Amino acid sequence: MSVQRKVILAFFSYSREDSEFALKLAKDLRQQGAAVWLDQLDIKPGELWDRAVEQGLASCQKMVLILSPNSVDSTNVMDEVSFALDEHKTVIPVLYRDCKIPFRLRRLEYVDVRTDYEGGLHKLLQVVSATAVQATIPGAQAGQIEEMDREGIEREQAQVVHIPKQKGEFESARTAKTQNSSRKLLIGGSVVVVVLGIAMLLMMLRKREQPPNPPVQEQKVQEQKAREQSASEEKRPSELNVGMAWLMQFLQAWQGPDVDALRPYFSNVVSPYFSLPSADWAAISNDKRTYFSRFPTIRYRLVRGPEIKPTPGGGVLNFDLAYDNIRSDGQRATGTTHLTITVALVAGAWKIAGIRERTVRQ
């Protein structure tokens, strides 16, 4: 008998300026039995830092986000949050210091440790350790398993209930099943033979009724097909060129700083809008106004794509952008992001009906 244990990690995302607090919180959670991942504790000497962080983030099901003015302004932290939300991971904000909570996180319930650290620790512990350990071995002795999810074991046992038959009953059932299978195969084979014979007869009769096309008529049919195919191929690049021109104009407006210049490119309701299920123009304009104030200088460069997949009434665009942004405090943020944009043709104009983003790891 063996006991299988499954550990589910909670990934710590924080700013370097908050390292001391993040380390204390992670150690306190571990002492209470929570399985958390923190770079200061879990990256071994000699490991590649960025690869270890990427693996830790990908393997976790939850994220503990330390909220402070520093983390809100950190590009790395916000990239990790975007990845977690896009991958449908549970993000647990921990309000460490007063700050303006990002738009995409305002709907999430947060843990407040500003005035009551112990109370916040207890509340956070309930969330990050609720599924920390599972054991699934039906019939195991209680003394052999530590920290099991009893409800999970009962479900597993309910799925592994075997009711053995008597030997005579088993043999009779197997014989009856074999005989039934043989009869079904015989009947099915006969039906297939009859259907094939009828189909061949109909094909022969149809062939006799249709006189062969004269060579001139057949040539005209082939020429017509060629003209239709050529017209279809000529139309396709034109559609792509329209989409490409629209995309380049959108990216110019996407660099800011004029929020109103983006209005013609968006539908009244965009679903999804990055990590939000949907957003109207009021929410979108407020989000972009905040972003443009943080980054007065924004530069985008198309590095791959766009790949355009036509859909009824519109299409889906996939492409990679290299960005070089300068924050209001003078710091620079660079990297590559992948955008997926769903567009729809509304009153003769392309409108964004959905937009999602993920960071491209290099």
Side-chain angles (χ1 to χ4, degrees), residues 135-140 152-164:
T136 56
I137 300 298
I153 297 175
E154 291 172 1
R155 289 196 301 267
E156 192 77 16
Q157 289 174 336
Q159 296 171 1
V160 195
V161 175
H162 300 282
I163 304 177

Side-chain angles (χ1 to χ4, degrees), residues 20 69 75 90-91 97 112 170 185 197 217 284-285 306 323 330 348 352:
E20 183 177 351
T75 301
T90 301
V91 177
R97 292 168 55 194
D112 193 345
F170 180 82
L185 286 174
Q217 184 178 356
I284 295 172
S285 60
Y323 59 87
I352 296 177

